[in-house]
């Protein structure tokens, strides 16, 4: 992947069946021009990943999972194996999305184990961090992010991890974080990780109206986009505006 490429991660969450994924990829493939200096990574529900494997012919596309467990196999009903993701050619996987932290009670220890399991198979972990609105209002944003990153910071292969800053108050909202908030957090996270080269994504209500402005913030290497990635035409408009 060209290091100058802007990265657009589509987080489809628990949306789309295999037929819908097939139709989406066929539609967006027709719209994309190969000379574009951007990459799209579809983070699809596990039950549809095989369709991406079949349909993604453009070199601008990659695909990945939204979650996995940290063991290869065994008595872990309902979980996805990182080994099988690797065998299926999956190159990326989300870890610690705020919905997993809140609804499925994932803690820092579990998230660390998942990151390590993915790194073992050279699958790029996209680690999500973000504060609640209450935490931001009480001036605790940086402290919260530091805590969420504390175990990960001890790893020696940090450059292989992508960090997605997704303030919880901006997810699924009409209002994204503003330019100053994103810039400050980008600088803070890169400093904490000791690397300006770390891949930093912003997520939280990225849409056609704000995508261009946010993409121009220094140090933002890409987006993690939820609702605005669900329709191929809307997502293509964002792709095109950057
Ligand atoms: P959103 O979701 O773009 O709908 O705010 C982003 C995410 O949860 O990853």
């Amino acid at each position: 992947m060209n290091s100058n490429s802007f990265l657009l991660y589509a987080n489809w969450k628990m949306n789309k069946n295999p037929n819908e994924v097939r139709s989406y990829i066929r539609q967006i493939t027709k719209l994309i021009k190969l000379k574009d200096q951007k990459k799209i990574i579809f983070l699809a529900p596990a039950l549809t990943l095989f369709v991406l494997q079949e349909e993604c012919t453009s070199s601008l596309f990659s695909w990945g999972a939204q979650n996995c467990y940290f063991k290869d196999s065994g008595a872990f009903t309902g979980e996805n194996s990182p080994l099988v993701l690797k065998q299926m050619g999956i190159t990326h996987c989300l870890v610690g999305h705020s919905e997993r932290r809140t609804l499925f009670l994932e803690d820092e220890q579990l998230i660390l184990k998942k990151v390590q399991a993915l790194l073992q198979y050279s699958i790029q972990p996209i680690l999500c961090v973000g504060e609640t609105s209450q935490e931001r209002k009480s001036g605790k944003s940086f402290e919260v992010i530091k805590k969420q990153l504390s175990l990960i910071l001890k790893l020696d292969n940090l450059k292989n991890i992508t960090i997605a800053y997704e303030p919880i108050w901006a997810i699924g909202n009409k209002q994204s974080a503003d330019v100053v908030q994103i810039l400050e957090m980008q600088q803070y996270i890169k400093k904490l990780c000791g690397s300006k080269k770390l891949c930093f994504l912003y997520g939280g209500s990225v849409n056609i109206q704000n995508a261009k402005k946010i993409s121009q913030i220094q140090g933002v290497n890409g987006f993690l986009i939820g609702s605005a990635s669900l329709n191929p035409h809307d997502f293509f408009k964002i792709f095109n505006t950057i």
Side-chain angles (χ1 to χ4, degrees):
M1 189 183 298
N2 182 330
S3 59
N4 296 322
S5 305
F6 195 84
L7 305 169
L8 286 152
Y9 286 79
N11 178 11
W12 289 340
K13 309 194 180 187
M14 200 177 72
N15 294 294
K16 301 197 184 297
N17 65 33
N19 285 339
E20 288 163 344
V21 169
R22 199 176 301 282
S23 154
Y24 184 112
I25 298 299
R26 287 183 185 180
Q27 289 179 64
I28 200 161
T29 302
K30 284 192 197 137
L31 301 169
I32 299 282
K33 292 181 200 67
L34 273 178
K35 62 176 173 43
D36 270 306
Q37 279 282 317
K38 288 164 268 182
K39 288 273 305 177
I40 295 180
I41 303 98
F42 300 105
L43 301 167
L47 293 172
T48 68
L49 284 169
F50 74 96
V51 180
L52 289 155
Q53 205 171 11
E54 287 167 10
E55 295 289 333
C56 285
T57 49
S58 167
S59 58
L60 302 184
F61 297 163
S62 302
W63 58 98
Q66 299 170 6
N67 181 37
C68 71
Y69 198 52
F70 61 88
K71 296 276 193 182
D72 288 348
S73 61
F76 306 106
T77 303
E79 290 294 328
N80 297 320
S81 155
L83 170 63
V84 176
L85 292 181
K86 180 70 184 175
Q87 290 165 341
M88 288 177 70
I90 271 73
T91 48
H92 299 74
C93 185
L94 280 179
V95 187
H97 189 280
S98 64
E99 285 147 22
R100 299 234 37 111
R101 292 177 191 261
T102 317
L103 301 172
F104 303 98
L105 310 180
E106 293 196 0
D107 62 17
E108 307 307 339
Q109 284 292 346
L110 178 61
I111 289 168
L112 173 68
K113 285 182 185 164
K114 292 182 179 198
V115 167
Q116 288 174 310
L118 290 166
L119 289 173
Q120 183 196 340
Y121 291 119
S122 305
I123 299 173
Q124 174 109 39
I126 302 119
L127 174 66
C128 303
V129 294
E131 79 285 2
T132 62
S133 117
Q134 192 52 43
E135 287 160 346
R136 179 155 282 272
K137 281 184 194 137
S138 52
K140 293 198 176 127
S141 306
F142 295 101
E143 196 183 310
V144 169
I145 301 303
K146 188 172 181 184
K147 183 167 175 294
Q148 290 175 346
L149 286 172
S150 60
L151 295 179
I152 304 292
L153 290 176
K154 298 190 179 124
L155 299 176
D156 53 16
N157 36 8
L158 268 183
K159 68 173 184 344
N160 298 328
I161 302 175
T162 294
I163 307 283
Y165 171 55
E166 294 208 305
I168 297 170
W169 47 271
I171 294 177
N173 206 334
K174 284 202 172 61
Q175 189 62 44
S176 70
D178 66 30
V179 170
V180 175
Q181 291 165 331
I182 298 169
L183 180 65
E184 279 178 354
M185 203 50 94
Q186 178 270 123
Q187 288 168 338
Y188 180 71
I189 289 175
K190 287 192 180 174
K191 195 164 160 217
L192 265 186
C193 297
S195 166
K196 287 203 169 91
K197 291 205 180 107
L198 183 95
C199 183
F200 175 91
L201 310 179
Y202 170 75
S205 294
V206 174
N207 56 39
I208 181 69
Q209 280 80 34
N210 59 25
K212 186 166 182 152
K213 191 163 84 183
I214 303 177
S215 73
Q216 288 165 341
I217 301 173
Q218 208 191 353
V220 173
N221 308 107
F223 290 145
L224 181 54
I225 306 181
S227 38
S229 73
L230 288 174
N231 176 296
H233 295 276
D234 293 347
F235 192 46
F236 176 70
K237 280 188 201 148
I238 295 179
F239 179 90
N240 235 1
T241 189
I242 293 163

